[in-house]
Amino acid sequence: MTQAPTPTADTVRRLVRSLLKDSSPDTGGPEVRPVTDGRHTTWWIGTRHVLRLAPDREASTRRRRELRLRDLVRPHVPVAVPTSVAQGEWAPGLACTLDTLVPGGSAEEHDVSAVGEADLAGLLTGLREVPVRQAEALGVPRVAPRSLEALRREAGRAAERLRAADEFDPARLQQLTSPAAVQLAAQPGSAVLVHHSLTGEHLLISADGRVRGVLDWTDTVVGDPAEDIAGLALAVGSPAAVRAATLAGYGARPCLRGLWLARCDTVIRLAAGLDGRAAEPLPLLRTRLRRAWEAILLERVTELRDEETDDAEL
């Protein structure tokens, strides 16, 4: 596969002028600077736009699909979804999009307020309302639910690595027994549109704690809604994630499933980070583990009863 060129400020300026069909004399144009990204695939363009460059052909396919998917999602969710003002190729076969800048800081910078939790509930509700057939017609893949039992076993091994590094007490994982993991399996027919990357950097939060927008829809799938609940647990903490999911109408089973997906994932990823096998920095991995393991009211998974009873306990 041909190696993609490394974009520079000059090439980005020329590309933006080309995308906007700007034929006026070159006076320097808006300031351009890369977003924190070692590959320089995302650039701030002045104060109103963001340029995103696909690093390979697979990413290009997902980037082009994202443009159509955002139009499908936008009417259903109460938060902003980026709008593209121009699109094209920045290198042969490699897509690029120039998007309007959605105001707000990341969830790593601002806490979500109670009203912000209602915004997240609206997001989860809206994703569930997006017609699955229309999403699949755009090329959004359908992904099978993960096995929580297999994840529990992998997390158990990773927890021993964390014990040796004095990072985590493996006894905490004993709350999730093997029967409970089986009991919390995804239910048949529960697949919805899932953002699948609700990280702190993709949630835009205002200073008053409202959720103003959601970025990067390239990893979206049709699948297990608990994955987005898990993502929110890493981004805003388990209590806020479960409260938002409850407001969105999800019962105890998907909430607890999302909680334990997040908890197992953070144990596994921190262990990988300690071994130098994770892309995320260790401080972020530790923060996500802390958020995922914040206590919630629903902790007794071994006594999970029918869904109607569980909804009352939430």
Side-chain angles (χ1 to χ4, degrees):
M1 182 174 64
T2 303
Q3 180 68 35
T6 300
T8 66
D10 286 340
T11 58
V12 166
R13 288 191 190 94
R14 288 194 295 270
L15 175 61
V16 170
R17 286 172 58 85
S18 173
L19 290 172
L20 296 178
K21 297 179 172 55
D22 183 1
S23 58
S24 60
D26 187 358
T27 57
E31 177 188 3
V32 302
R33 65 189 191 281
V35 178
T36 305
D37 180 351
R39 296 175 298 174
H40 289 185
T41 56
T42 309
W43 291 71
W44 302 118
I45 309 299
T47 58
R48 296 188 300 171
H49 297 97
V50 177
L51 178 69
R52 300 169 64 208
L53 310 174
D56 53 50
R57 292 182 182 274
E58 180 182 353
S60 293
T61 299
R62 291 186 287 116
R63 189 66 43 82
R64 294 185 181 103
R65 182 181 68 215
E66 180 191 28
L67 296 176
R68 302 188 299 272
L69 177 63
R70 292 189 308 202
D71 290 338
L72 176 63
V73 168
R74 192 174 288 110
H76 296 276
V77 298
V79 298
V81 175
T83 300
S84 175
V85 297
Q87 56 182 292
E89 291 189 351
W90 69 279
L94 302 183
C96 64
T97 60
L98 184 65
D99 293 344
T100 54
L101 180 66
V102 180
S106 75
E108 305 297 342
E109 301 169 316
H110 300 298
D111 293 331
V112 174
S113 65
V115 181
E117 291 178 14
D119 295 330
L120 293 175
L123 171 65
L124 295 177
T125 299
L127 289 173
R128 192 170 56 210
E129 293 173 349
V130 174
V132 166
R133 288 186 178 179
Q134 291 186 34
E136 291 182 314
L138 297 178
V140 176
R142 182 178 287 263
V143 175
R146 290 191 286 170
S147 166
L148 186 54
E149 170 58 15
L151 195 66
R152 183 190 72 87
R153 294 194 298 267
E154 185 179 357
R157 295 188 292 270
E160 294 301 325
R161 169 70 177 91
L162 297 185
R163 185 217 297 267
D166 198 25
E167 294 271 3
F168 182 79
D169 181 4
R172 302 173 73 184
L173 271 172
Q174 293 176 8
Q175 298 174 64
L176 181 65
T177 63
S178 180
V182 173
Q183 197 173 16
L184 291 177
Q187 299 300 293
S190 62
V192 301
L193 193 71
V194 179
H195 181 280
H196 219 248
S197 188
L198 289 180
T199 60
E201 65 180 342
H202 294 155
L203 292 175
L204 293 178
I205 314 297
S206 61
D208 61 357
R210 295 292 304 271
V211 180
R212 297 304 184 186
V214 179
L215 306 179
D216 198 345
W217 295 78
T218 54
D219 292 328
T220 301
V221 300
V222 172
D224 181 7
E227 294 287 358
D228 274 350
I229 299 172
L232 291 179
L234 305 188
V236 301
S238 286
V242 169
R243 287 193 295 266
T246 303
L247 284 173
Y250 284 108
R253 183 173 281 105
C255 287
L256 286 169
R257 176 173 168 79
L259 174 74
W260 283 104
L261 287 172
R263 288 179 170 179
C264 292
D265 280 341
T266 56
V267 169
I268 293 166
R269 290 172 184 169
L270 181 54
L274 292 178
D275 293 336
R277 296 182 287 107
E280 301 93 342
L282 285 174
L284 178 59
L285 293 173
R286 291 187 177 106
T287 297
R288 288 177 175 173
L289 184 140
R290 174 182 55 77
R291 289 173 181 158
W293 284 88
E294 290 174 351
I296 67 166
L297 293 178
L298 287 170
E299 294 285 3
R300 294 181 6 175
V301 297
T302 56
E303 297 181 9
L304 191 67
R305 296 185 292 277
D306 64 67
E307 197 69 27
E308 182 176 345
T309 303
D310 291 331
D311 287 348
E313 290 186 0
L314 280 166

